[in-house]
Amino acid sequence: AEHDNAALKDATLSAVTAASQLGEVHVLVAGSGVGGVADAAGRIAGVAKVLVGDDAAYAHGLPENVAPLVVGLMEGYDAFVAPATTTGKNIAPRVAALLDVAQISDILSVEGPKTFTRPIYAGNAIATVESSDARLVITARGTAFAKAAADGGSAAIESIATTGDAGLSSFVGAEIAKSERPELTSAKVIVSGGRALKDAETFAATILPLADKLGAAVGASRAAVDAGYVPNDYQVGQTGKIVAPQVYIAVGISGAIQHLAGMKDSKTIIAINKDEDAPIFQVADIGLVADLFQAVPELTGKL
Amino acid sequence: MKILVPVKLAIDSNAKPRLKADRSGIDLANVKLSINPFCEIAVEEAVRLREAGKATEVVVVSVGVGKATDAIRSALAIGADRGILIEAEGRVEPLTIAKLLAKVVEEEKPDLVLTGKQAIDDDSNQTGQMLAALLDWPQATFASQVELDGAELVVTREVDGGHQTLRLSLPALVTTDLRLNEPRYPSLPNIMKAKKKPVETKSAETYGVDLTPRLSVVEVREPAARKAGIKVADAQELVSKLKAVGVL
């Protein structure tokens, strides 16, 4: 389970759905002071058992400490499934190498007991792959699997022996942005801005009022992040976050393949761009060719 | 400090991949190939550490057939000192690459391995983590800042929600994120000089690593196409369309 020691992350719910397509699901909660998280994991519909490894060494999800715990447990399991978040991507390959199995990244679907689909080449192709390994190590794309219900389960909670601190790495600090807005990867509506927003102030003045009107999360293209308009965790794309909201509004984003890789599974895509040849219009369901500095405030005003 | 940088030759980030007609994979004939952008960032960081007097030598290594040398030459033109090409035919999986790299680490004994967070062709994001596991080294993935502090490394990582800073004992493995640095354009004289730098070629077989893929590719297909969209004339019409799709 992915968590911050206090609360369970939504990403876990999608991973439970992916895992349930393979067999009985047990959730591992490794962390420090994670009683509350374990209780929450036990209430997820479809979870049969929760294993709790409570140790200060797991507090920050350091892979050097968490991977040996997982590897020790894998004697009794056929598959390890993690959400394809930065935490999952950090730990799962380390687990796989220690088990001497291939890892299957970012799966989109379970096609058979050992057969999965996954995107390659920035989502320009979908590969169906079949594993020949005895055990599976998988990360699952959050937007590709429905979230398991957070309530309704009543799994047994069991404490397990911990493996301690490997002594290779330590946590110094973290800067996690606090936001009142919905989380990008689980938002129903996303308003995203690109390079055309000019600077941080203009980005905020143009995009935020529209996002507020729609109760939307705010995203950005790589260009907008590189230019310093918004922090890096706003980035949507091949190397940023993968999102699939009901509505994705791309404002001043040209639509490079690396950006499309992160949002083209959105249900409805709306593009506002003054360049009618911008590639974003090839994936947009609704396009408005206009100067965003006029069109966006006008749109915000009419909502 | 000696730094080893694994690099990969991949489809150029601006090229559009085309599927093979038999759905066995992507057609890479006549497609521009370049050093993977994240590998380029890793080379740049290693060269900067050497220029700052913190590293003594930067060695690059690539696994692949003859053409993979192009990735090594690109790295040498940025400023790496020498290259190693491990020749291996066909599709080589991250686990296999990690095992080959572990052998190279045994031979070269670097203090730091710096590599990209993912290759933009198979988008796996695994090799660095797997290599760290095989070596029992600490890892810092998705690095946006790397500082050497005595015998330790202080690395800031890009994580969901923000940044995280870790302290690693050396030797260590770091994978680079986009914002670690901006790789320099190699100058023409440096490209010429790179041609004279040594590149040692080895055969993957000599390392005794089983190259058989664990995953078989059943098929590769195009993602579902989106149906054609419409254009609206103004913000007013956009609002009515938003109402029609149920956003408002």
Side-chain angles (χ1 to χ4, degrees), chain A residues 56-65 165 168-176, chain B residues 138-140 145-149 152-157 159 163-169:
Chain A
Y58 307 139
H60 303 288
L62 296 176
E64 297 81 357
N65 298 344
D165 195 326
L168 294 170
S169 59
S170 59
F171 172 82
V172 177
E175 271 177 63
I176 303 298
Chain B
Q139 71 188 48
Q145 202 180 335
V146 177
E147 274 169 37
L148 191 64
D149 179 17
E152 289 186 322
L153 214 54
V154 180
V155 184
T156 301
R157 308 176 53 228
V159 296
H163 290 100
Q164 181 192 58
T165 305
L166 301 178
R167 189 170 271 275
L168 312 181
S169 60

Side-chain angles (χ1 to χ4, degrees), chain A residues 249-271:
Chain A
I249 306 181
V251 178
I253 292 176
S254 64
I257 51 175
Q258 291 81 5
H259 186 75
L260 301 184
M263 46 63 80
K264 68 182 179 184
D265 292 325
S266 305
K267 193 143 184 294
T268 301
I269 297 172
I270 297 168

Side-chain angles (χ1 to χ4, degrees), chain A residues 64 90 103 105 173 235 264, chain B residues 124 126 139 141 165 179 226:
Chain A
E64 297 81 357
N90 194 26
Q103 194 233 203
S105 296
Q235 187 181 330
K264 68 182 179 184
Chain B
S124 286
Q126 300 173 5
Q139 71 188 48
T141 50
T165 305
R179 275 162 284 277
R226 296 185 70 93

Side-chain angles (χ1 to χ4, degrees), chain A residues 130-217:
Chain A
E130 187 175 0
S131 171
S132 60
D133 283 316
R135 291 195 175 81
L136 298 168
V137 176
I138 293 166
T139 60
R141 177 173 287 198
T143 56
F145 295 93
K147 291 188 187 80
D151 279 298
S154 55
I157 296 176
E158 187 183 302
S159 265
I160 55 167
T162 55
T163 47
D165 195 326
L168 294 170
S169 59
S170 59
F171 172 82
V172 177
E175 271 177 63
I176 303 298
K178 291 265 177 281
S179 175
E180 302 295 308
R181 296 173 199 286
E183 203 195 332
L184 197 50
T185 50
S186 54
K188 288 198 166 59
V189 182
I190 294 174
V191 181
S192 236
R195 194 200 304 270
L197 272 309
K198 285 195 178 121
D199 53 43
E201 292 71 34
T202 316
F203 189 103
T206 315
I207 298 293
L208 301 189
L210 177 58
D212 288 340
K213 276 276 172 73
L214 294 165

